[in-house]
Amino acid sequence: MDTLKPERLPVHLAVIMDGNGRWAKKRMLRRIVGHRKGVETVRVIVEECSRLGIKYLTLFAFSAENWLRPKTEVKALMALLKKYVRMEVARMMQNNIRFNVIGNRADLPDDINAEIEAAIAKTAGNTGMLLTLALSYGGRQEIVMAARKMALEAVAGRLAPEQIDERLFTASLYTADIPDPDLLIRSSGEMRISNFLLWQLAYAELYFTDVDWPDFDRNELARAFRDYQSRERRFGMTSDQLRK
Ligand code: FPP
């Protein structure tokens, strides 16, 4: 088995953590048990990515469409989230991890926003991996948000239409200071992007695994990284051009 080449690891890993509910169902357990187990997996993968020197890790923890779920599940997920953010700050400090959130924070309960603010402030000085949770996040909503921002600047006469280019668009997104993901991992067998980082994933490598998120571990992560390292990323160019 090929060993992982540290110099060829993704700078930015994005993850759609799917399959908590199905994992629980297969075991005749309530969905919330799957989410709880899913949080344990988050801990393991965050620590492992930090240990491997991944610079940016972005986790799809709650989508804009997840609000449509049964109220009891939304409430339970929010409670898990609050506990996670509060409990993990100490571990983030130990691992020199900086915490960040993208998404429409106005949708989140005040007490969760307060925990998030505290965690962001506490870890702001850390210089290791940037851990970003996507919360109440939707790629289309983010693009509309960016377009509105630029339109307001244009209406105020501070921006001419011809100044709107990819660079300005990228700078208008939640992820303005984060490089595009190199690799997207989705667990649990579904092969779709589910409105995640639509602009940013333009040239990301996609890796789908049948393993449910609660069962995703260091070995599965290493398997994904080995697959990623075996790929040739051409960004629209030819292989010959890459070799020059
Ligand atoms: C999808 O599984 C997963 C989510 C809705 C979000 C992921 C949430 C967690 C891992 C727990 C909370 C996260 C943090 C960071 C505290 P699903 O419920 O859609 O599973 P299914 O597709 O099998 O129904």
Side-chain angles (χ1 to χ4, degrees):
M1 188 176 351
D2 292 355
T3 53
L4 283 182
K5 302 179 189 73
E7 72 286 359
R8 295 203 60 198
L9 286 170
V11 171
H12 184 178
L13 170 65
V15 184
I16 301 177
M17 311 179 286
D18 198 12
N20 298 344
R22 276 163 282 163
W23 181 91
K25 198 169 180 191
K26 289 173 195 166
R27 292 159 181 77
M28 321 290 238
L29 300 168
R30 291 173 301 122
R31 293 176 55 83
I32 188 58
V33 179
H35 292 310
R36 277 201 206 105
K37 186 71 173 59
V39 175
E40 288 170 27
T41 300
V42 168
R43 281 202 189 94
V44 169
I45 297 306
V46 167
E47 206 139 278
E48 182 67 356
C49 285
S50 174
R51 188 185 70 79
L52 289 170
I54 302 295
K55 301 227 174 359
Y56 301 88
L57 174 62
T58 303
L59 304 177
F60 202 5
F62 194 85
S63 75
E65 290 73 32
N66 284 154
W67 292 108
L68 302 170
R69 291 192 173 198
K71 290 229 169 333
T72 48
E73 179 161 343
V74 170
K75 203 158 172 274
L77 274 168
M78 287 297 136
L80 268 182
L81 203 53
K82 183 178 177 182
K83 190 170 165 218
Y84 172 82
V85 175
R86 176 184 299 161
M87 305 288 285
E88 285 309 298
V89 173
R91 211 189 301 262
M92 291 178 199
M93 294 306 288
Q94 274 165 21
N95 294 311
N96 192 25
I97 290 172
R98 196 156 53 91
F99 184 63
N100 177 41
V101 165
I102 59 173
N104 191 354
R105 295 259 313 267
D107 296 338
L108 299 173
D110 293 347
D111 59 335
I112 292 188
N113 267 322
E115 292 292 350
I116 290 170
E117 265 327 303
I120 290 174
K122 177 87 177 158
T123 62
N126 292 345
T127 57
M129 184 174 80
L130 178 72
L131 170 62
T132 299
L133 291 188
L135 297 176
S136 195
Y137 174 87
R140 288 183 173 180
Q141 292 86 338
E142 180 184 29
I143 289 170
V144 168
M145 179 270 295
R148 279 207 186 115
K149 249 202 273 187
M150 289 182 277
L152 284 170
E153 287 299 296
V155 168
R158 291 189 291 268
L159 180 66
E162 56 277 12
Q163 291 175 283
I164 298 176
D165 57 10
E166 284 186 38
R167 190 197 53 73
L168 183 65
F169 209 103
T170 300
S172 308
L173 298 169
Y174 294 122
T175 52
D177 308 321
I178 304 176
D180 289 341
D182 302 292
L183 175 62
L184 171 75
I185 295 175
R186 182 174 185 144
S187 59
S188 190
E190 313 287 13
M191 295 196 178
R192 49 179 179 261
I193 300 292
S194 296
N195 197 21
F196 187 41
L197 299 173
L198 296 181
W199 174 276
Q200 299 88 335
L201 289 174
Y203 266 101
E205 295 297 321
L206 308 180
Y207 178 90
F208 300 101
T209 172
D210 290 338
V211 177
D212 294 329
W213 182 249
D215 287 334
F216 194 86
D217 59 15
R218 291 185 185 85
N219 295 329
E220 292 302 329
L221 184 67
R223 199 187 308 275
F225 286 159
R226 276 195 295 277
D227 188 314
Y228 170 77
Q229 291 184 343
S230 71
R231 303 189 186 179
E232 182 183 68
R233 305 181 71 194
R234 293 188 291 277
F235 300 94
M237 293 181 278
T238 67
S239 296
D240 294 345
Q241 286 176 293
L242 291 180
R243 268 185 272 284
K244 282 210 184 95

